[in-house]
């Protein structure tokens, strides 16, 4: 698409904002930032419509990320998007040890900034409740959500690690819940058998999975196809534990997003 065609298309879209042609729209190049088109609105002399009132209040509109040949502008949906996640850890073998306090500080801290929290998993006939990482991801359209779910399927297959996915269509979103079924808790005594220490919990496998999901999600944020990371309520300090002991305490507490 040529630059002239793009400008023409943009002008037609913006012209729909006016009421019966009450305003004349003119695009001019911004002399200080040529890559960002600026829309100047010339107010009609005798318009009394609500559109004219709007134009009087807003004499200029700055258009970003139009159909021109511009680089996409990275949308910071939450403070964390501007931060950089640490390198995700290598895949640990099963059974995976529970996270240590040092690993929580290194790996979970950045996830907390990105709206992850720790809740108690739903118990099942064969599954004991355990702490798990939880986050809701929202998208602009159902199609974008569907594309993200396909990305999740690829990550799941590649990592051989599964997460619970709770999909909603109003708004288009998915809640991801992940923990390791065969984790390895710390020994309570020097002679405690290893087999009795195997139980579900949060491990580096879950951290790695969450980081890969975040990297995939960031592409949607960059293209303005994803909304803010959301939770039903602000997380409490208990929902974002900072030590191994506080993390383990989540095993016996319920919570949701």
């Amino acid at each position: 698409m040529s630059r002239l065609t793009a400008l023409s298309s943009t002008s037609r879209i913006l012209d729909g904002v006016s009421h019966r042609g009450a305003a004349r729209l003119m695009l001019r190049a911004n002399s200080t930032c040529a890559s960002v088109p600026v829309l100047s609105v010339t107010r009609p002399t005798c318009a009394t419509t609500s559109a004219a009132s709007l134009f009087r209040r807003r004499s200029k509109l700055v258009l970003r990320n139009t159909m021109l040949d511009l680089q996409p502008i990275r949308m910071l949906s939450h403070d964390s998007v501007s931060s950089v996640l640490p390198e995700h850890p290598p895949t640990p073998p099963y059974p995976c040890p529970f996270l240590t306090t040092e690993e929580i500080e290194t790996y979970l801290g950045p996830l907390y900034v990105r709206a992850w929290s720790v809740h108690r998993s739903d118990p099942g006939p064969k599954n004991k409740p355990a702490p798990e990482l939880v986050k809701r991801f929202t998208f602009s359209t159902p199609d974008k959500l569907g594309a993200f779910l396909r990305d999740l399927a690829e990550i799941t297959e590649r990592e051989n690690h599964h997460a619970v996915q709770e999909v909603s269509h109003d708004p288009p979103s998915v809640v991801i819940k992940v923990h390791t079924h065969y984790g390895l808790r710390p020994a309570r005594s020097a002679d405690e058998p290893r087999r009795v220490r195997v139980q579900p919990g949060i491990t580096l496998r879950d951290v790695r999975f969450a980081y890969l999901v975040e990297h995939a999600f960031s592409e949607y944020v960059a293209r303005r196809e994803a909304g803010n990371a959301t939770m039903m309520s602000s997380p409490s300090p208990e929902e974002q534990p900072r030590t191994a002991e506080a993390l383990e305490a989540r095993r016996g507490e319920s919570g949701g997003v």
Side-chain angles (χ1 to χ4, degrees), residues 13 73 127 129 165 174 177 196 200 205-206 227 231 238 247:
I13 294 171
I73 298 174
N127 299 325
Q165 301 174 20
V174 58
K177 302 178 178 181
V196 302
R205 277 190 174 269
D206 307 304
M231 288 181 287
E238 291 77 18
L247 181 62

Side-chain angles (χ1 to χ4, degrees), residues 38-58:
V38 177
L39 175 67
S40 295
V41 180
T42 303
R43 184 176 54 189
T45 57
C46 59
T48 59
T49 65
S50 59
S53 299
L54 175 62
F55 292 140
R56 280 195 295 270
R57 292 194 301 269
R58 298 182 180 181

Side-chain angles (χ1 to χ4, degrees), residues 106-253:
T106 300
Y107 295 114
L108 292 195
L111 290 179
Y112 293 158
V113 176
R114 293 172 177 246
W116 287 84
S117 56
V118 176
H119 297 271
R120 180 178 182 263
S121 67
D122 296 326
K126 297 182 179 180
N127 299 325
K128 296 180 180 180
E132 63 183 2
L133 288 172
V134 181
K135 179 178 174 179
R136 183 191 299 274
F137 298 83
T138 60
F139 295 85
S140 57
T141 66
D143 288 344
K144 304 308 179 186
L145 169 61
F148 182 69
L149 293 178
R150 289 190 289 274
D151 292 340
L152 285 180
E154 293 179 2
I155 295 173
T156 296
E157 182 177 1
R158 185 169 65 248
E159 293 295 303
N160 190 26
H161 195 51
H162 300 77
V164 173
Q165 301 174 20
E166 297 177 352
V167 178
S168 174
H169 296 287
D170 186 21
S173 62
V174 58
V175 175
I176 296 178
K177 302 178 178 181
V178 62
H179 71 273
T180 301
H181 292 288
Y182 297 100
L184 186 67
R185 65 168 173 77
R188 294 169 180 164
S189 63
D191 58 350
E192 184 178 28
R194 181 184 177 93
R195 57 181 175 79
V196 302
R197 296 165 51 200
V198 176
Q199 63 184 75
I202 297 178
T203 72
L204 287 178
R205 277 190 174 269
D206 307 304
V207 169
R208 180 181 171 89
F209 186 92
Y211 275 39
L212 293 174
V213 169
E214 281 294 329
H215 287 309
F217 181 66
S218 67
E219 297 298 323
Y220 293 84
V221 173
R223 296 193 298 264
R224 299 175 179 244
E225 297 171 353
N228 295 342
T230 57
M231 288 181 287
M232 295 300 292
S233 60
S234 299
S236 66
E238 291 77 18
E239 292 170 341
Q240 293 188 335
R242 302 287 175 169
T243 66
E245 293 76 15
L247 181 62
E248 180 60 21
R250 298 297 289 160
R251 184 179 302 275
E253 299 173 6

